Amino acid sequence: MARPERPAIPACAGMTRMRREMMDPLFDFTGKVVLVTGGSRGLGYQMVKAFAERGADVIIASRKLENCEKVADECRALERKAMAFAMHAGRWADCDALLEAAWAEFGRIDVLINNAGMSPACPSHEIPETLFDSVLNLNFKGPFRLASQTAHRMSQGQGGCIINISSSGSLMALPMVVPYGAAKAALNAMTVSLAKEYGPKVRVNTLCPGPFLTDISEAWDPDKREHQPVALGRPGYPAEIVTGALMLASPASSYTTGALLQVDGGPR
């Protein structure tokens, strides 16, 4: 099977004004503030750039400040405001500090994307308690804190949108990575409940990626990087997460909340 070409994404800062003039109003985020955890690489990076290219000011949060600053500089080159913030997305104190800094800088968040995560493989009977706690903290405990606190602030203001990045692993058997799949399943359940609790002013949805060629995939064997047992027969390119995030964040999706959108190459 021929492998498709990588999807093209605009990358030239010199075309910023032209892109704005040609902007589809359904995906125009001019004046919006978008926060992405784990935004310095992989799927998070692609989403940060996609929103910045469509007019949004962005907040890039991740563990290493220098990596966040590199992405922030790319967004500033697009004539957008960008804030880099170093934090551990599994710790509530860091989550609270991030929100305080975001509100101090921008006065609000319009879109929160809970993207940070980790999925170390280990036989279930060998998983130490420290690793179990780390996986649950980063994939569920921290996202819960960020989502709940952001939703509360949004509900007190002009409203907003929260997108929780889950995984196709939350919907199937996932041997060797059980705490990760369980944490992402909890994220799915959290989405539905928060959508009900903080609606109608706040929309909360789940974006559920499948196998993507991010930095994690560098450890895969070569065949796995070419082929996957999904309907499309291949892993996804990071850029292919963009349309799902834009759709869920768009004001045109104002009647979509508590939903789970799978971007996973189709059924296995």
Side-chain angles (χ1 to χ4, degrees):
M1 180 181 66
R3 187 170 182 174
E5 295 181 359
R6 292 177 182 269
I9 356 183
C12 177
M15 295 185 67
T16 300
R17 291 185 179 85
M18 183 182 298
R19 280 199 301 271
R20 289 180 185 171
E21 292 172 1
M22 299 172 63
M23 192 84 70
D24 185 328
L26 296 178
F27 301 108
D28 184 351
F29 292 91
T30 301
K32 300 296 184 181
V33 179
V34 179
L35 188 163
V36 183
T37 64
S40 64
R41 64 182 187 178
L43 302 185
Y45 168 76
Q46 295 293 336
M47 290 185 280
V48 168
K49 289 298 294 296
F51 281 100
E53 288 168 350
R54 288 159 181 81
D57 297 326
V58 293
I59 303 166
I60 304 103
S62 191
R63 293 192 190 190
K64 295 183 178 180
L65 183 61
E66 61 270 27
N67 293 343
C68 295
E69 285 288 3
K70 289 178 183 178
V71 181
D73 286 341
E74 292 183 40
C75 296
R76 293 171 188 134
L78 297 170
E79 302 176 9
R80 306 311 314 154
K81 295 179 181 177
M83 183 177 82
F85 194 90
M87 54 91 71
H88 188 303
R91 298 172 181 164
W92 281 17
D94 284 21
C95 293
D96 293 347
L98 170 61
L99 296 183
E100 289 298 326
W103 254 264
E105 179 70 20
F106 295 101
R108 70 187 193 284
I109 294 171
D110 298 298
V111 180
L112 164 66
I113 301 180
N114 262 323
N115 170 69
M118 62 184 291
S119 56
C122 182
S124 293
H125 61 281
E126 296 180 2
I127 295 175
E129 185 175 6
T130 52
L131 178 59
F132 181 92
D133 289 345
S134 294
V135 172
L136 269 290
N137 287 348
L138 188 58
N139 290 290
F140 179 59
K141 179 182 174 182
F144 167 78
R145 181 66 174 182
L146 269 179
S148 60
Q149 297 303 306
T150 301
H152 174 69
R153 289 175 181 246
M154 286 176 169
S155 68
Q156 301 298 306
Q158 299 300 310
C161 169
I162 296 172
I163 302 172
N164 296 312
I165 306 301
S166 182
S167 167
S168 59
S170 67
L171 306 171
M172 66 181 74
L174 205 65
M176 304 285 286
V177 202
V178 173
Y180 172 77
K184 291 300 190 182
L187 204 64
N188 299 349
M190 179 189 84
T191 290
V192 176
S193 295
L194 292 182
K196 180 67 174 179
E197 184 172 356
Y198 292 98
K201 292 181 72 174
V202 181
R203 296 188 300 110
V204 188
N205 291 293
T206 296
L207 184 58
C208 199
F212 271 81
L213 292 172
T214 62
D215 54 320
I216 294 175
S217 70
E218 294 174 5
W220 298 354
D221 63 67
D223 183 69
K224 190 175 180 182
R225 289 179 58 82
E226 294 285 341
H227 306 99
Q228 285 286 326
V230 296
L232 295 183
R234 63 173 177 88
Y237 295 117
E240 293 178 301
I241 201 69
V242 163
T243 50
L246 294 174
M247 186 278 281
L248 290 175
S250 171
S253 297
S254 56
Y255 202 55
T256 301
T257 193
L260 186 152
L261 175 63
Q262 293 176 241
V263 184
D264 58 4
R268 290 175 176 258

